[in-house]
């Protein structure tokens, strides 16, 4: 009786394992979703900026695992111009909202469309942001779970679209 139950359990495990192996997806099948998620994750890390220098360093470090030297060059340029110091000095809060990510699977190219909200003491500014680049496959790691790297990243559009003055009570 015990042996028959054990045989049935082993057979059931074999059937379940076989079913899961047949349904396993490859990266090619999920590339669209993973590419868009990767691009959105990078933009979130790079453009969400509270007035906290440790958090900014933390998110920039995370972002740099997802992009090539073009992202590092942009970060260094902003840092040299005092952009991050200004965020701290004015207690500004930067948030990014993704509208969409267009991805061309054959060319491995993307265009990111989003809006950035900049909240300062006296006003709230909304900016339109469009960036573009290509994606390159790399090994998956804990720091880069999608196994993709943004290359040739550039900003195509970064313009003010709305500014509201805050009412102070």
């Amino acid at each position: 009786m015990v042996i028959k139950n054990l045989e049935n359990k082993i057979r059931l495990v074999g059937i379940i394992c076989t079913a899961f192996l047949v349904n396993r997806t490859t990266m090619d099948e999920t590339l669209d979703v993973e590419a868009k998620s990767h691009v959105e994750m990078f933009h979130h890390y790079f453009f969400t900026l509270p007035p906290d220098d440790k958090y900014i360093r933390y998110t920039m470090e995370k972002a740099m695992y997802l992009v090539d030297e073009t992202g590092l060059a942009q970060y260094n340029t902003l840092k040299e111009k005092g952009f991050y110091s200004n965020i701290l000095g004015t207690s500004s809060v930067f948030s990014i909202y993704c509208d969409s990510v267009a991805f061309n699977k054959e060319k491995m190219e993307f265009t990111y469309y989003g809006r950035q909200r900049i909240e300062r003491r006296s006003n709230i500014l909304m900016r339109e942001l469009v960036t573009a680049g290509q994606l390159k496959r790399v090994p998956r790691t804990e720091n880069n779970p999608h196994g993709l790297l943004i290359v040739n990243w550039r900003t195509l559009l970064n313009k003010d679209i709305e500014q509201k003055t805050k009412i102070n009570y």
Side-chain angles (χ1 to χ4, degrees), residues 4-107:
K4 191 165 184 135
N5 281 340
L6 187 59
E7 287 175 3
N8 287 338
K9 287 180 182 178
I10 292 171
R11 192 174 300 129
L12 180 61
V13 168
I15 291 168
I16 291 171
C17 288
T18 303
F20 277 111
L21 288 175
V22 170
N23 288 330
R24 226 175 107 193
T25 58
T26 65
M27 186 172 180
D28 283 340
E29 293 170 353
T30 61
L31 183 59
D32 270 355
V33 173
E34 294 209 45
K36 290 176 182 180
S37 178
H38 183 85
V39 169
E40 190 172 347
M41 183 186 304
F42 166 75
H43 284 79
H44 173 77
Y45 286 140
F46 198 87
F47 290 103
T48 300
L49 306 165
D52 179 334
D53 59 334
K54 288 181 182 176
Y55 185 80
I56 291 172
R57 279 196 303 274
Y58 169 77
T59 59
M60 285 303 140
E61 183 179 310
K62 300 279 278 178
M64 292 308 120
Y65 286 112
L66 308 178
V67 68
D68 71 353
E69 67 277 356
T70 56
L72 181 60
Q74 181 79 358
Y75 169 70
N76 286 333
T77 299
L78 291 170
K79 191 174 179 180
E80 287 171 13
K81 289 182 178 178
F83 176 74
Y84 301 105
S85 298
N86 188 43
I87 291 172
L88 301 172
T90 60
S91 297
S92 299
V93 178
F94 287 63
S95 306
I96 190 82
Y97 303 94
C98 180
D99 291 325
S100 66
V101 177
F103 178 63
N104 181 320
K105 195 174 188 177
E106 288 75 36
K107 295 181 179 180

